[in-house]
Amino acid sequence: MTESTYRIQGATGEWEVVIGLEVHAQVTSKAKLFSGAATAFGAEPNTQVSLVDAAMPGMLPVPNRECIRQAVRTGMAINAQINKWSRFDRKNYFYADLPQGYQISQLYHPIVGEGEIEINLDEKNPDAETKVIGIERIHVEQDAGKLMHDQHPTRSYVDLNRSGVALMEIVSKPDMRSPAEAGAYLSKLRTILRYVGSCDGNMDQGSMRADVNVSVRKPGAEFGTRTETKNVNSVRFVMAVVEYEASRQVDVLEAGGKVVQETRLYDPDKNETRSMRSKEDAHDYRYFPDPDLLPLELDDAFLEECRQSLPELPDAKRLRYEKDLGLSAYNAAVLTAEADTARWFEALLAEGARVQKKSEGEVAKASANWLLSELYGALNRLGKTLDDSPVTPEDGAELLALIADGTISGTIAKQVFEIMLETGGKPGAIVEEKGLRQTSDTGAIEAVVAEVLARNADKVEQYKGGKDALFGFFVGQTMKAMQGKANPQVVNELLKKALG
Amino acid sequence: MSDLTDLTVAEIRDGFRAGDFSARDVAEAFNANVAAAKALNTFIVETPEKALAAADAADRAKAAGEALKPLAGVPIGMKDLFCTQGVQTTAASHMLEGFTPTYESTVSAKLWDAGAGMLGKLNLDQFAMGSSNETSYFGNVISPWKRKGGDNAALAPGGSSGGSSAAIAARLCPAATGTDTGGSIRQPAAFTGISGIKPTYGRCSRWGIVAFASSLDQAGPMARTVRDNAIMLENMAGFDPRDSTSLDLEVPKWEAGLSSDLRGKKVGIPKEYRPDGLNAEIAALWDRGIEWLKDAGAEVVEVSLPHTKYALPTYYIIAPAEASSNLARYDGVRYGQRDLPDGAGLQDMYAATRAMGFGPEVKRRIMIGTYVLSAGFYDAYYTQAQKVRALIARDFEQAFEKCDLLLTPTAPSASFALGEKQADPLAMYLNDVFTVPASLAGLPAMAVPGGLDGQGLPLGLQIIGKALDEQTVLNAGLAIEERAGFAARPEKWW
């Protein structure tokens, strides 16, 4: 594997980095894991808190079936073993953001066992090497509340809105060997979660965060001692943590020191990690099965429903785009990298096939090219995304149909598109209103061709004398005279005829 | 008309319907008894106005010719472990002193919906931890019973439902709720000459009951007769989607199913419940109980529950383990008492609050529980205890292949004097030796009074049934009740 040869050059030779990620992904669900309270992001503090979340005396947890379902679907999406029998455990510790004094989690019997994710080592190059990263397990657990230390000079405030929100903890095997692999893994995982719809993947809102386990070793040696950097909240930061930690650990080891097994925090401003607590003062969490909850038993009908509800996943979709739609590997990869993009593209495709009365395969290439060049270019320029695009897939399909049936030329299409972006108008209406319909009227075009040739008699001479390149000049002059509305094919034919 | 406070739940219900007296008459009579019995310290909070309000509602409904609710006209006591909306709920702890829930426990809500009125919140052992009601922050409950022969020692009403047992025995309420984790309904019932049943685990919702040990806690009724227990239990039990361990089953018509005819039933006598040195009077009562059940038509067989001797140590690992975690929420952050010494940080506040808010027995159990769950000890204690618990449950399953119910003593002794066992927690824990096995197995079990000992104190018999077979338990209880003819009552001294 050429890509796995990421090496840190130390004074004593080359070092290899070993990385495992524990990703906490907030389950997309209207209600919390064990209470009916809502989970909206950004709500006023302590407005999404039930009696259960506040751990009032006598309150009991009841598992939310939808959260369980999402965890199972996620497990299925990574080809993991689904455990039909799992159990919740209590992780006991005291903290002000943890009202119960324990977090309900799954230590001994997680709901999802081993699975795997295939990553592509170079996003830009679909033909680059792929690598399979093992998943150890996925378990579901409660999130904690949030402490706010900046609201009062001497007091801390507690916001319990997140308290009890369902998280999936997705634990990878220590299979990654470079910052790029860690980044690719996290991106791919996020893509899968978004496809499945089990997590919105919004790392900036805290819906997804990673604990990054890093160790270094001489290539081929035993695993070294690892550190765990907590709550890293972007792909870029994860890569930065790996890079920083790996070189820090190499420095420590080469200076004759030992890497301390500890929890660290990442400071994005300084781009460094800092020690948070070492193993010596680690908590004894006193895990034990939660006696308020029965074991979670999943029946076959439930599992089948989960399986049926899974959408086409990114890898399968990418292959289908290449094989069935005839898209380039690059276009297929870009269009499937985000669930939203693929969804938009498929809406465009379906509408295009419908209005042009063609198969999706017949309209796929033009649709893909227009989306990735015209639409993306425009959105970039406007600082928008597909989500808030002023142009809908239906508008796009209509525009492409107007090109395909010769109503407008590609050049005019660009004008129409600009007007669509500005006004949100429909392409057909814009073409009519602005009189942009392309003409194939041979009589009208012939007249213009005759005029152009008459005005440029000298160039006609040169052309006839062998200067073939001037043909384009005549085309351009004709089109210009017709304000771009002439059918270019007809122009070509008539020019050829007129020039003999 | 006899004193209304001598009536049973069934008699009050039926007399009220027949027009023999008004519900208000009943509520006022019990309110008066409660007000006059401060010396027993059975109530933490008295709510005479609630008893009257429910009574007036019942009287109005009757006057209007409306259909009457099953417990219309019946006032009851509520153990202060059940959260009651708008009424202080403390679990007899300093920690929750002043805590007023905004919500009503499922069991208490069912009782109010059934028309019952609340006389007040009954004292108990702190967080239901204790067997003598001596761990309450609000002081000991004093049993209304006295030893005969002029011994004036204040006696224990049993625990943890000691306020419930003493109040019923003293005619302060005709019935009350209890909760039973390792015997907290049955042992106090035995100590005070009343009946009480712990139903199958999952029959009564735990929602809104301050948790002690979740896998063991079960609510149940306490009253003077078996019929009253059946009536109460029908109005307490039922599926509750808010409790994951609640059983999704119809509530049987236990009262209608009452029958003391035990022909065709086999009663198992577990030999392990007759250890060397068993109190002779208790052994004799047990023998009389066997004869009563034979007289009712049952066949008696000897059975073996070989792991019985491990039940108490198993219980005293599992219950404190769960308690140590369940009680972590009392941290001074959101409700209840808080101790915030000058300059204290979060950890200091936790320590100060919990040191101040919990009594010694609660602290002892939190420490035991924390210890048995800690790294390096978990397998040796907690995992092992869970295995033994499974063996104990299997013992019962095997015994029930040979019989339909079991008869045992309820407690190894009659009531003892307050203070007598305070110094020795182990001796106190031994009170639960006969009640704990059924708790570990989640089985229905009932205490019924069988007679008095030589000192004039009540002794109880315990009936343990198959899971979900409360009916057979109640029926055997009825057979004993009819034959024991237990009519003794404490002489009023308070």
Side-chain angles (χ1 to χ4, degrees), chain B residues 85-116:
Chain B
Q85 188 174 359
V87 180
Q88 177 186 255
T89 300
T90 65
S93 69
H94 183 34
M95 185 65 91
L96 285 174
E97 191 174 11
F99 170 66
T100 304
T102 57
Y103 48 94
E104 187 77 36
S105 83
T106 299
V107 165
S108 56
K110 277 177 172 285
L111 287 165
W112 312 145
D113 288 348

CSV table of all heavy atoms in Angstrom, one decimal, chain B residues 85-116:
chain,number,residue,atom,x,y,z
B,85,GLN,N,-48.1,15.2,44.1
B,85,GLN,CA,-48.1,16.6,43.5
B,85,GLN,C,-48.6,17.6,44.5
B,85,GLN,O,-49.6,17.5,45.1
B,85,GLN,CB,-49.0,16.6,42.3
B,85,GLN,CG,-48.9,17.9,41.5
B,85,GLN,CD,-49.8,17.8,40.2
B,85,GLN,OE1,-50.4,16.8,39.9
B,85,GLN,NE2,-49.8,18.8,39.5
B,86,GLY,N,-47.7,18.6,44.7
B,86,GLY,CA,-48.1,19.7,45.7
B,86,GLY,C,-48.0,19.3,47.1
B,86,GLY,O,-48.2,20.2,48.0
B,87,VAL,N,-47.6,18.1,47.5
B,87,VAL,CA,-47.4,17.7,48.9
B,87,VAL,C,-46.0,17.2,49.1
B,87,VAL,O,-45.5,16.4,48.3
B,87,VAL,CB,-48.4,16.6,49.3
B,87,VAL,CG1,-48.2,16.2,50.7
B,87,VAL,CG2,-49.8,17.0,49.0
B,88,GLN,N,-45.3,17.8,50.0
B,88,GLN,CA,-43.9,17.5,50.3
B,88,GLN,C,-43.7,16.0,50.3
B,88,GLN,O,-44.4,15.2,50.8
B,88,GLN,CB,-43.5,18.0,51.7
B,88,GLN,CG,-42.0,17.6,52.0
B,88,GLN,CD,-41.7,18.0,53.5
B,88,GLN,OE1,-40.9,19.0,53.6
B,88,GLN,NE2,-42.2,17.3,54.5
B,89,THR,N,-42.6,15.6,49.6
B,89,THR,CA,-42.2,14.2,49.5
B,89,THR,C,-40.8,14.0,49.9
B,89,THR,O,-39.9,14.7,49.3
B,89,THR,CB,-42.4,13.7,48.1
B,89,THR,OG1,-43.8,13.8,47.7
B,89,THR,CG2,-42.0,12.2,47.9
B,90,THR,N,-40.5,13.3,51.0
B,90,THR,CA,-39.1,13.3,51.5
B,90,THR,C,-38.4,12.0,51.5
B,90,THR,O,-37.2,12.0,51.8
B,90,THR,CB,-39.2,13.8,53.0
B,90,THR,OG1,-39.9,12.8,53.8
B,90,THR,CG2,-39.9,15.1,53.1
B,91,ALA,N,-39.1,10.9,51.4
B,91,ALA,CA,-38.4,9.6,51.6
B,91,ALA,C,-37.8,9.6,53.0
B,91,ALA,O,-36.9,8.8,53.3
B,91,ALA,CB,-37.4,9.3,50.6
B,92,ALA,N,-38.4,10.4,53.9
B,92,ALA,CA,-38.0,10.4,55.3
B,92,ALA,C,-36.5,10.8,55.4
B,92,ALA,O,-35.8,10.5,56.4
B,92,ALA,CB,-38.2,9.1,56.1
B,93,SER,N,-36.0,11.6,54.4
B,93,SER,CA,-34.6,12.1,54.5
B,93,SER,C,-34.6,13.6,54.7
B,93,SER,O,-35.5,14.3,54.3
B,93,SER,CB,-34.0,11.8,53.1
B,93,SER,OG,-34.5,12.6,52.1
B,94,HIS,N,-33.5,14.0,55.2
B,94,HIS,CA,-33.2,15.5,55.3
B,94,HIS,C,-33.0,16.0,53.9
B,94,HIS,O,-33.3,17.1,53.6
B,94,HIS,CB,-32.0,15.7,56.2
B,94,HIS,CG,-31.7,17.2,56.4
B,94,HIS,ND1,-32.7,18.1,56.5
B,94,HIS,CD2,-30.5,17.8,56.6
B,94,HIS,CE1,-32.1,19.3,56.7
B,94,HIS,NE2,-30.8,19.1,56.8
B,95,MET,N,-32.3,15.1,53.1
B,95,MET,CA,-32.0,15.5,51.7
B,95,MET,C,-33.2,16.1,51.0
B,95,MET,O,-33.0,17.1,50.2
B,95,MET,CB,-31.4,14.3,51.0
B,95,MET,CG,-30.9,14.6,49.6
B,95,MET,SD,-29.5,15.7,49.6
B,95,MET,CE,-28.1,14.5,49.7
B,96,LEU,N,-34.3,15.5,51.1
B,96,LEU,CA,-35.5,15.9,50.3
B,96,LEU,C,-36.5,16.7,51.2
B,96,LEU,O,-37.6,17.0,50.8
B,96,LEU,CB,-36.2,14.7,49.7
B,96,LEU,CG,-35.5,14.1,48.5
B,96,LEU,CD1,-36.2,12.8,48.0
B,96,LEU,CD2,-35.4,15.1,47.4
B,97,GLU,N,-36.0,17.2,52.3
B,97,GLU,CA,-36.9,18.0,53.2
B,97,GLU,C,-37.3,19.3,52.4
B,97,GLU,O,-36.4,19.9,51.8
B,97,GLU,CB,-36.2,18.4,54.5
B,97,GLU,CG,-37.2,19.0,55.4
B,97,GLU,CD,-36.5,19.3,56.8
B,97,GLU,OE1,-35.3,19.2,56.9
B,97,GLU,OE2,-37.3,19.6,57.7
B,98,GLY,N,-38.6,19.5,52.3
B,98,GLY,CA,-39.0,20.7,51.6
B,98,GLY,C,-39.2,20.5,50.1
B,98,GLY,O,-39.6,21.4,49.3
B,99,PHE,N,-38.9,19.3,49.6
B,99,PHE,CA,-39.1,19.0,48.2
B,99,PHE,C,-40.6,18.7,47.9
B,99,PHE,O,-41.2,17.8,48.5
B,99,PHE,CB,-38.3,17.8,47.8
B,99,PHE,CG,-38.6,17.3,46.4
B,99,PHE,CD1,-38.4,18.1,45.3
B,99,PHE,CD2,-39.2,16.0,46.2
B,99,PHE,CE1,-38.7,17.6,44.0
B,99,PHE,CE2,-39.5,15.6,44.9
B,99,PHE,CZ,-39.3,16.4,43.8
B,100,THR,N,-41.2,19.5,47.0
B,100,THR,CA,-42.6,19.3,46.7
B,100,THR,C,-42.7,19.0,45.2
B,100,THR,O,-42.4,19.8,44.3
B,100,THR,CB,-43.4,20.6,47.0
B,100,THR,OG1,-43.2,20.9,48.3
B,100,THR,CG2,-44.9,20.4,46.7
B,101,PRO,N,-43.0,17.7,44.9
B,101,PRO,CA,-43.1,17.3,43.5
B,101,PRO,C,-44.2,18.1,42.7
B,101,PRO,O,-45.2,18.5,43.2
B,101,PRO,CB,-43.4,15.8,43.5
B,101,PRO,CG,-43.2,15.4,44.9
B,101,PRO,CD,-43.4,16.6,45.8
B,102,THR,N,-43.9,18.2,41.4
B,102,THR,CA,-44.9,18.8,40.5
B,102,THR,C,-45.7,17.7,39.8
B,102,THR,O,-46.4,17.9,38.9
B,102,THR,CB,-44.2,19.6,39.4
B,102,THR,OG1,-43.3,18.8,38.7
B,102,THR,CG2,-43.5,20.8,40.0
B,103,TYR,N,-45.4,16.5,40.3
B,103,TYR,CA,-46.0,15.3,39.6
B,103,TYR,C,-46.5,14.3,40.6
B,103,TYR,O,-46.1,14.4,41.8
B,103,TYR,CB,-45.0,14.7,38.6
B,103,TYR,CG,-43.7,14.4,39.3
B,103,TYR,CD1,-43.4,13.2,39.9
B,103,TYR,CD2,-42.7,15.4,39.4
B,103,TYR,CE1,-42.1,13.0,40.5
B,103,TYR,CE2,-41.5,15.2,40.0
B,103,TYR,CZ,-41.2,14.0,40.6
B,103,TYR,OH,-40.0,13.8,41.2
B,104,GLU,N,-47.4,13.4,40.2
B,104,GLU,CA,-48.0,12.4,41.1
B,104,GLU,C,-47.5,11.0,40.6
B,104,GLU,O,-47.6,10.7,39.4
B,104,GLU,CB,-49.5,12.5,40.9
B,104,GLU,CG,-50.3,11.7,41.9
B,104,GLU,CD,-50.3,12.3,43.3
B,104,GLU,OE1,-50.4,13.5,43.5
B,104,GLU,OE2,-50.3,11.5,44.3
B,105,SER,N,-47.1,10.2,41.5
B,105,SER,CA,-46.7,8.8,41.2
B,105,SER,C,-47.9,8.1,40.6
B,105,SER,O,-49.0,8.4,40.8
B,105,SER,CB,-46.2,8.1,42.4
B,105,SER,OG,-47.3,7.5,43.1
B,106,THR,N,-47.5,7.1,39.7
B,106,THR,CA,-48.6,6.4,39.0
B,106,THR,C,-49.5,5.7,40.0
B,106,THR,O,-50.7,5.7,39.9
B,106,THR,CB,-48.0,5.3,38.1
B,106,THR,OG1,-47.2,6.0,37.1
B,106,THR,CG2,-49.1,4.5,37.4
B,107,VAL,N,-48.9,5.0,41.0
B,107,VAL,CA,-49.7,4.3,42.0
B,107,VAL,C,-50.6,5.2,42.8
B,107,VAL,O,-51.8,4.9,42.9
B,107,VAL,CB,-48.8,3.4,42.9
B,107,VAL,CG1,-49.6,3.0,44.1
B,107,VAL,CG2,-48.2,2.3,42.2
B,108,SER,N,-50.1,6.3,43.3
B,108,SER,CA,-50.9,7.2,44.1
B,108,SER,C,-52.0,7.8,43.2
B,108,SER,O,-53.2,8.0,43.6
B,108,SER,CB,-50.1,8.3,44.8
B,108,SER,OG,-49.3,9.0,43.9
B,109,ALA,N,-51.6,8.2,41.9
B,109,ALA,CA,-52.6,8.7,41.0
B,109,ALA,C,-53.8,7.8,40.8
B,109,ALA,O,-54.9,8.2,40.7
B,109,ALA,CB,-52.0,9.1,39.7
B,110,LYS,N,-53.4,6.5,40.7
B,110,LYS,CA,-54.5,5.5,40.5
B,110,LYS,C,-55.4,5.4,41.7
B,110,LYS,O,-56.7,5.3,41.5
B,110,LYS,CB,-53.9,4.1,40.3
B,110,LYS,CG,-53.4,3.8,38.9
B,110,LYS,CD,-52.7,2.4,38.8
B,110,LYS,CE,-52.4,2.0,37.4
B,110,LYS,NZ,-53.6,1.6,36.6
B,111,LEU,N,-54.9,5.5,42.8
B,111,LEU,CA,-55.7,5.5,44.0
B,111,LEU,C,-56.6,6.7,44.1
B,111,LEU,O,-57.8,6.6,44.5
B,111,LEU,CB,-54.8,5.3,45.3
B,111,LEU,CG,-54.2,4.0,45.5
B,111,LEU,CD1,-53.0,4.0,46.5
B,111,LEU,CD2,-55.2,2.9,45.9
B,112,TRP,N,-56.1,7.9,43.8
B,112,TRP,CA,-56.9,9.1,43.9
B,112,TRP,C,-58.0,9.0,42.8
B,112,TRP,O,-59.1,9.3,43.0
B,112,TRP,CB,-56.1,10.4,43.7
B,112,TRP,CG,-54.9,10.5,44.5
B,112,TRP,CD1,-53.7,11.1,44.2
B,112,TRP,CD2,-54.7,10.0,45.9
B,112,TRP,NE1,-52.8,11.0,45.2
B,112,TRP,CE2,-53.3,10.4,46.2
B,112,TRP,CE3,-55.4,9.3,46.8
B,112,TRP,CZ2,-52.8,10.1,47.5
B,112,TRP,CZ3,-54.9,9.0,48.1
B,112,TRP,CH2,-53.6,9.4,48.4
B,113,ASP,N,-57.6,8.5,41.6
B,113,ASP,CA,-58.6,8.3,40.5
B,113,ASP,C,-59.7,7.3,40.9
B,113,ASP,O,-60.8,7.4,40.4
B,113,ASP,CB,-57.9,7.8,39.2
B,113,ASP,CG,-57.1,8.9,38.6
B,113,ASP,OD1,-57.2,10.0,39.0
B,113,ASP,OD2,-56.3,8.5,37.7
B,114,ALA,N,-59.3,6.4,41.8
B,114,ALA,CA,-60.3,5.4,42.3
B,114,ALA,C,-61.2,6.0,43.4
B,114,ALA,O,-62.0,5.3,43.9
B,114,ALA,CB,-59.6,4.1,42.7
B,115,GLY,N,-60.9,7.3,43.8
B,115,GLY,CA,-61.8,7.9,44.7
B,115,GLY,C,-61.2,8.0,46.1
B,115,GLY,O,-61.9,8.6,47.0
B,116,ALA,N,-60.1,7.4,46.4
B,116,ALA,CA,-59.5,7.4,47.7
B,116,ALA,C,-59.1,8.8,48.1
B,116,ALA,O,-58.7,9.6,47.2
B,116,ALA,CB,-58.3,6.4,47.8
